Amino acid sequence: MFQSDIDGGWAWVILGVSFCGMLLTGFHVYSLGIIMAALLDEIESDLTRVSWVGSIYTAALTLSGIGMGFCLTSSLVVSGYYFKKYRPMASGITVSGAAFGMFVGPPVIRLLIDNYMLRGTFLVLGALGANMFVLGMLMRPSPTEKDNFRKDAGKGNSARQSSSQVRNQLLRITSAFKDVVGIVKNGPFLCYLFSTFAFSCGETAAIYHLPNYSQEQGTSKMASATLMTAMGVTSLCSRLLTGFAASDPNIGPELLLTGMMGMIGILTITFPLYSATFGSQVLYAAGYGLYSGGINAVMTPLTAELISLEKLAIGFGLLCFTSGIGCLIGAPIAGVIVDSGGTYTHSYIYAGTALLLGSAVSVPISLRDRDSVTWKAVERMDATIDVVAETEQLKTHDITMDDDGIPV
């Protein structure tokens, strides 16, 4: 593994692997609405109980980090380590894999349910998910990760010389806890966490209930599945374009986050007013995908700006944890609203309100002092490494330096 693998070399393999990992994740996750509608038909249960099926699945993916959660986090984080100059672009391409999965997943799963019932469909989904093993074997540690590992190993060796192994483990846990506390104390990133929570509450309620809501409006089962396909097409375009737009310093990922979340909030809260026809349902799905897809594309560059690159994985873990809580309660709350005497009109008002709240909470991120944010530390770290290397090179040529490291 060489430094040339950053922004090139094996980085392009990693980008392809991350894209495929997100594709399989999106294929499973964004098809939950179709599966939930099929569950309602098969077991004739109430909407709240069925909503827990999708919510627990998504929460386990992001909150507990099991199953597809391993694939989701790894696919997002690994591209951030392998790219620096092209990080926003790489992030856009990576998350576009989930949009492509959204595009092909629902119609395919609808066909599987019609031909093999739910039991056969779950077997096929399990076989597709097993391909993640192959993708995981291609995710080699990046040069940055290897450098960090060597530093940690050196610290560990020194510590072992003066203390027991149990104490070393406690020190590592304490250090990790301090990192988490330090990140949470970061005001802009804390706003990002709250915004992600609100977004997850609103999105799960809006997406998971869309197929069943459209069928209630008279749309056929297959046509309701194509709504997710329309959402996937525009989401794919949005994720790619947002990745490039986030690279523009005059725009930035934080402004895109606020604007796009506000737009899907408006679309969702007004959806009951124009949801009577299939054409208007397609319009909503396409508009939702157009603006929501980009929100996922700015996760990596925005996290890297708000915290240091060395803590990128910890930051993603906190984001996934926060998102998992929102995913766990978002759709069931909408189900309770409908089952307790309300209608889908009320549930979409709830979803839209949550999305608008997420947009409002993200506003302080754009107002932060850019000169004081910790992402500047990454550039300073690179500069420090260069200075150290040059200093060592000067020493090898027997050049005398003063106390400040300046040749004399």
Side-chain angles (χ1 to χ4, degrees):
M1 190 69 61
F2 302 98
Q3 194 67 29
S4 59
D5 286 322
I6 301 298
D7 289 322
W10 194 257
W12 300 114
V13 177
I14 291 295
L15 185 58
V17 167
S18 299
F19 176 87
C20 293
M22 292 299 294
L23 188 156
L24 290 175
T25 303
F27 187 97
H28 286 73
V29 174
Y30 289 108
S31 301
L32 284 174
I34 307 301
I35 295 175
M36 287 167 60
L39 285 172
L40 280 172
D41 293 337
E42 184 164 318
I43 65 178
E44 298 181 356
S45 180
D46 58 86
L47 183 60
T48 302
R49 293 177 62 185
V50 172
S51 296
W52 278 111
V53 174
S55 295
I56 291 174
Y57 177 92
T58 309
L61 184 148
T62 53
L63 182 62
S64 304
I66 60 176
M68 279 288 177
F70 291 120
C71 313
L72 173 67
T73 304
S74 300
S75 298
L76 288 171
V77 172
V78 70
S79 61
Y81 278 115
Y82 267 91
F83 288 90
K84 181 180 179 182
K85 180 180 179 181
Y86 304 116
R87 187 176 296 142
M89 180 200 69
S91 176
I93 294 175
T94 297
V95 298
S96 67
F100 194 76
M102 184 194 301
F103 171 71
V104 300
V108 170
I109 289 182
R110 184 70 257 175
L111 287 173
L112 290 173
I113 293 174
D114 291 340
N115 289 278
Y116 304 108
M117 306 296 289
L118 277 174
R119 291 186 178 182
T121 300
F122 288 139
L123 289 175
V124 175
L125 290 177
L128 289 173
N131 287 280
M132 286 292 190
F133 287 108
V134 179
L135 300 178
M137 288 188 290
L138 294 172
M139 292 183 181
R140 302 175 181 174
S142 68
T144 302
E145 292 173 288
K146 286 193 171 184
D147 290 340
N148 292 338
F149 178 79
R150 282 193 290 266
K151 293 177 182 178
D152 291 340
K155 293 178 181 178
N157 291 333
S158 300
R160 277 191 291 271
Q161 295 174 2
S162 59
S163 62
S164 66
Q165 187 174 1
V166 174
R167 184 180 179 184
N168 294 337
Q169 295 296 333
L170 292 175
L171 289 174
R172 291 178 182 178
I173 294 174
T174 303
S175 177
F177 180 75
K178 288 181 179 179
D179 288 340
V180 172
V181 173
I183 292 175
V184 173
K185 287 182 178 180
N186 183 326
F189 189 74
L190 187 61
C191 290
Y192 190 23
L193 291 177
F194 280 115
S195 178
T196 300
F197 169 77
F199 170 71
S200 299
C201 286
E203 181 169 69
T204 52
I207 291 182
Y208 291 170
H209 292 166
L210 180 59
N212 200 55
Y213 181 32
S214 63
Q215 291 174 34
E216 188 181 86
Q217 298 283 70
T219 304
S220 67
K221 294 180 179 179
M222 181 54 72
S224 66
T226 60
L227 293 177
M228 302 305 296
T229 299
M231 188 181 296
V233 172
T234 54
S235 179
L236 177 62
C237 298
S238 174
R239 294 175 192 229
L240 290 172
L241 294 175
T242 303
F244 290 102
S247 302
D248 189 342
N250 296 320
I251 300 177
E254 59 276 4
L255 181 61
L256 291 170
L257 173 71
T258 301
M260 291 185 295
M261 199 176 298
M263 287 301 300
I264 61 173
I266 294 173
L267 286 171
T268 301
I269 203 170
T270 60
F271 180 47
L273 300 177
Y274 59 91
S275 61
T277 65
F278 176 67
S280 60
Q281 293 166 12
V282 172
L283 180 64
Y284 168 74
Y288 191 98
L290 182 63
Y291 291 106
S292 66
I295 294 175
N296 297 283
V298 301
M299 285 185 65
T300 298
L302 185 54
T303 304
E305 283 195 7
L306 296 177
I307 60 178
S308 66
L309 182 61
E310 291 180 333
K311 297 181 176 63
L312 182 61
I314 298 177
F316 261 111
L318 290 173
L319 281 174
C320 288
F321 183 83
T322 305
S323 176
I325 297 175
C327 291
L328 183 64
I329 66 176
I333 290 177
V336 169
I337 292 174
V338 175
D339 289 336
S340 60
T343 64
Y344 277 109
T345 297
H346 300 97
S347 69
Y348 271 88
I349 291 175
Y350 148 72
T353 301
L355 293 168
L356 288 174
L357 178 62
S359 175
V361 173
S362 68
V363 171
I365 302 176
S366 302
L367 303 178
R368 74 190 190 281
D369 183 7
R370 284 180 168 269
D371 293 332
S372 63
V373 294
T374 55
W375 68 276
K376 290 290 186 183
V378 178
E379 297 179 359
R380 292 195 295 269
M381 179 183 68
D382 294 338
T384 302
I385 293 174
D386 292 338
V387 170
V388 171
E390 293 296 329
T391 302
E392 293 298 326
Q393 185 176 2
L394 290 173
K395 288 182 179 180
T396 58
H397 290 83
D398 297 328
I399 296 178
T400 304
M401 294 175 290
D402 61 15
D403 295 335
D404 294 325
I406 300 175
V408 295

